[in-house]
Amino acid sequence: MWLEGFICALSAYNLLCLLAGTLVGLIVGALPGLGPLFGVSLALPFTVGMPPESAIILLSAIHAATAYGDSIASILVRVPGSAATVAACWDGYPMTQQGRGAVALAMSALGSLFGGLAGWIALVVISGPLVRLALKMHSAEYFMVALVALSLLAVAGSGNMAKGLLMGFLGLLLSTVGQDLFTGGFRFTLGSPYLESGIPMVPAVLGLFAISQALVLAEEGGTIAKVERVSGGALAAVRETVRHWATVIRGALVGVVMGILPALGLSSANVVAYLIEKRVSRDPESFGRGNPAGVLAPETAKSACVIGDLIPTVTLGIPGSPTTAIFMAALILHGLRPGPDFFQGKFPYVVFAGILMAQFAFFIIGLLCARYLARIVLLPNAYMVPTIIALSLIGAYAANYSVYDMWVALAFGVLGYVMQKYGFPSACLVLGFVLGNIAETNFVRALMVNGSYVVFVTRPISLALLLIAVVSFLSPWVSSLRQRSDRSKSGEGVGKASQNHA
Amino acid sequence: MRKTLVVGLVVIVVCGALLVGCTKPQERFPSKNITFLIGFGPGGANDMITRALIPGMKQALGVDVVPVNLPGAGGAVAAKKLASEPADGYNILLLSQSIILTQYTGQAGIKMSDYQPIIGVAEDTSAITVPADAPYNNINEFVTYAKANPGKVRIGNAGTGALWHIAAALFADKAGIDVKHIPYESGAQAALATAGKEIEACAVSPSEVKGLVDAGKLKILALMSESRYDIVPNVPTLKEAGIDLTYRVWRGVFCKAGTPAERVKKLHDAIKSAMADSSFVSSMKTAGIPIVYRSTDDFVAQVRKDDALLKETLQKLGLLK
């Protein structure tokens, strides 16, 4: 089966498809706002006349490469291609400014490869048990997962707790815009039908990061890189990655878990992986200043999540995200029905082989290009700024073909700029925004289904998650309190105290 | 010399312009490209159906048919756009039955009287689905169980006041049972929650539960359609089980009300021939979208009937504003 699958996938024509898909994917992915969703839906009509195996290989390659390509602009220009790569810019961009852009890119390729492999193994080997676990997750557990993720607010806002909480709650507030699932009533829609389905994620993220960044660059002038030449490359990246092996494992776990839960996904996996990494780090202060672990963790999680997302899709026929819905439509179009029958015959093995090869394809091409791509930061901002704004607006439009989404991007661009100017952490806003809805609907639904608050503590998984959330939320305060008392005892105990809590 | 040339040219151009104005108004329809609006973003069922219809329509009409996605407010944004265009048949839109609901529950100000139904293209229904190891093996046993446990049975839908909620409410009303309606983000999520036994049942599209049925996690007790479905041939309809209720969820093509009848007919004929195309049939089959043709008259009557039914049901549920 496997042999047949790989032999089929390795035919010259299919390899050509793999290469073409990877290149197209990298280019589409690198453009802001155009992510896997756009790439796969763009390519789908072109595959209609192709043999099914080649079509699926082409689409897998685009799927994987766009997800990876998204990070390029995020790391180099601080312009994330989609919500999936928001976290990559928090440390990737500082690295770029320090002239280590090529290292960050190569690390992102490595992290993505390992994440992809972890996701692939989960998909092929343990998708059965994973799906059984996913079925055990009721609304109460979904709420608790969101709560655990939200408890990372304190980590995300570290350095300025008040501003962080403020932004977190603004994010939660923004996530409530739209039609309420339970009453059918409208909240904060200002009477506009456009806002009925809520604030669209892609344009909001593009505005918040890409357009605000363009404004900042315009103000700064000069070039992005604060140093004369771009240094480092693949070797340095491999060294850093080996040094941070635990980070890779944690990132992959977060990615796979978030991937198999249909409601959560790419937009939260990368942020959560980043914050967990910061949480467990011995040196959380170095995050946001070019810490390699801050690139590796979200990139690994993102890539693992891209594949993890496919697990409920192929095993149960339930797509976890819009991108996998398109991917599922592609499988169906080519005569392959996702579901338990999926694992029959040779065809699925071709798909699996294709997905695996796609990981290596983007990795190799990404690694080879890193050095050259990294030079983009030597371009004058005068050229960068209009390009970023134009591409962001196109990206905002392309997600839904909606002109109104471009206004959303512009509005969030101004918001993002103001936030950056006055030191309000964008991480907190994003966290609240992507998780608010999940937390709220599942909380209300858990109460509706069970009729009592007891459900949150009587279900074991829910209770365990609740305890994790409480500990995770309180520990930064406790440790800072302890630090303070240590400091009052002796001026030298600070480093030691923070180590104890790492 | 030069003056004469200029005067001559002016005369020719003016005459030409006048002659153009003299030609009879164009009778032929269509004489320019048709815009096919899509009320949702790329990738959904409406988008798939529209794009699959277009090649056949181009052939039948001899002009280009251009798909334009205008997502927002469950199709209402595109519907508003259609209502603002002239009633000349050059703008058409594929709508699903939920547009009727947005008249009453949305804020876009949709009125069904603004639209002329052209043709019914697809029809779906609700499948009453329970966990595979549930103690009831047919719909009547389920009803008996629900009667013995009033208010205990929870049925999942895809949003309060949306189509699957109405389906479950109609069923509960007809069967005389008292159930709790639980909304999920989508029909597929409701199916998943049923498989995970968070709720007792869901009433969503057969294609949304099919994967979990095949996986041995769910079983369908009954369909709310008029006849059985190809994808689940062993499942009886409610009618067969003695509960006199059918619930169809249609998708069809509309133009603006007031479009000349012969243009409506021309569009109807073109779409009908596109529906007969073998590539359309096969792609809809693999996508699990049941194709059902309704003529203009049938479709107009169906839309009117559903408008009354849905309004009444919303009223009963206390959701009519």
Side-chain angles (χ1 to χ4, degrees), chain A residues 437-484:
Chain A
N437 232 319
I438 297 165
E440 188 204 352
T441 47
N442 284 296
F443 179 72
V444 176
R445 187 159 49 225
L447 290 181
M448 208 169 171
V449 168
N450 301 287
S452 136
Y453 290 95
V454 179
V455 62
F456 294 111
V457 290
T458 50
R459 295 179 56 84
I461 302 180
S462 171
L463 181 64
L465 288 167
L466 177 65
L467 293 177
I468 294 174
V470 169
V471 171
S472 149
F473 192 71
L474 290 182
S475 57
W477 272 287
V478 175
S479 69
S480 77
L481 274 182
R482 186 127 22 124
Q483 268 182 29
R484 209 169 297 166

Side-chain angles (χ1 to χ4, degrees), chain A residues 154-155 157-162 279 284-285 471-489 493-502:
Chain A
V155 183
S158 69
N160 198 327
M161 204 58 81
R279 172 81 190 77
E285 293 300 311
V471 171
S472 149
F473 192 71
L474 290 182
S475 57
W477 272 287
V478 175
S479 69
S480 77
L481 274 182
R482 186 127 22 124
Q483 268 182 29
R484 209 169 297 166
S485 64
D486 276 2
R487 211 175 303 163
S488 58
K489 274 181 218 146
V494 182
K496 206 176 147 212
S498 62
Q499 261 182 22
N500 286 342
H501 290 279

Side-chain angles (χ1 to χ4, degrees), chain A residues 155-456:
Chain A
V155 183
S158 69
N160 198 327
M161 204 58 81
K163 280 178 177 173
L165 284 179
L166 195 68
M167 285 299 108
F169 279 94
L170 180 63
L172 289 176
L173 202 62
L174 289 172
S175 79
T176 63
V177 173
Q179 187 163 23
D180 179 52
L181 188 66
F182 299 98
T183 62
F186 296 102
R187 298 189 296 193
F188 307 115
T189 56
L190 313 173
S192 156
Y194 289 111
L195 285 174
E196 279 183 17
S197 36
I199 295 174
M201 174 92 67
V202 171
V205 167
L206 278 174
L208 213 48
F209 293 91
I211 293 181
S212 70
Q213 171 68 1
L215 296 177
V216 171
L217 289 181
E219 209 174 29
E220 283 175 355
T223 59
I224 289 178
K226 300 295 172 231
V227 289
E228 287 294 305
R229 48 181 280 279
V230 174
S231 65
L235 264 173
V238 172
R239 262 200 309 277
E240 287 288 0
T241 309
V242 171
R243 204 158 67 82
H244 291 100
W245 59 273
T247 303
V248 173
I249 292 173
R250 278 190 294 263
L253 280 176
V254 170
V256 171
V257 169
M258 298 293 246
I260 54 163
L261 300 177
L264 297 155
L266 278 176
S267 46
S268 35
N270 69 105
V271 178
V272 169
Y274 177 90
L275 294 176
I276 288 181
E277 204 49 44
K278 187 173 171 186
R279 172 81 190 77
V280 300
S281 166
R282 279 158 206 269
D283 186 16
E285 293 300 311
S286 68
F287 278 78
R289 293 177 191 165
N291 186 331
V295 178
L296 212 47
E299 288 298 283
T300 311
K302 176 196 73 182
S303 200
C305 187
V306 167
I307 314 258
D309 239 6
L310 287 172
I311 293 175
T313 316
V314 297
T315 49
L316 299 173
I318 292 192
S321 69
T323 315
T324 44
I326 293 265
F327 198 76
M328 186 168 134
L331 290 176
I332 292 172
L333 190 74
H334 291 287
L336 196 67
R337 180 130 203 124
D341 302 338
F342 187 81
F343 295 83
Q344 277 168 19
K346 161 186 103 167
F347 198 19
Y349 294 94
V350 182
V351 176
F352 291 150
I355 293 175
L356 185 64
M357 281 157 48
Q359 306 302 318
F360 286 99
F362 79 67
F363 169 70
I364 293 167
I365 296 179
L367 211 57
L368 289 178
C369 299
R371 271 186 90 87
Y372 306 100
L373 285 170
R375 302 230 173 113
I376 195 174
V377 297
L378 300 174
L379 277 178
N381 285 353
Y383 298 125
M384 298 286 284
V385 171
T387 316
I388 292 172
I389 292 187
L391 287 174
S392 306
L393 289 179
I394 293 172
Y397 174 77
N400 268 324
Y401 300 168
S402 161
V403 176
Y404 145 82
D405 285 357
M406 293 160 78
W407 290 109
V408 172
L410 285 175
F412 273 84
V414 174
L415 176 69
Y417 175 75
V418 173
M419 280 169 59
Q420 207 171 337
K421 279 277 124 172
Y422 294 95
F424 288 96
S426 53
C428 297
L429 184 78
V430 172
L431 200 62
F433 185 56
V434 299
L435 290 165
N437 232 319
I438 297 165
E440 188 204 352
T441 47
N442 284 296
F443 179 72
V444 176
R445 187 159 49 225
L447 290 181
M448 208 169 171
V449 168
N450 301 287
S452 136
Y453 290 95
V454 179
V455 62
F456 294 111

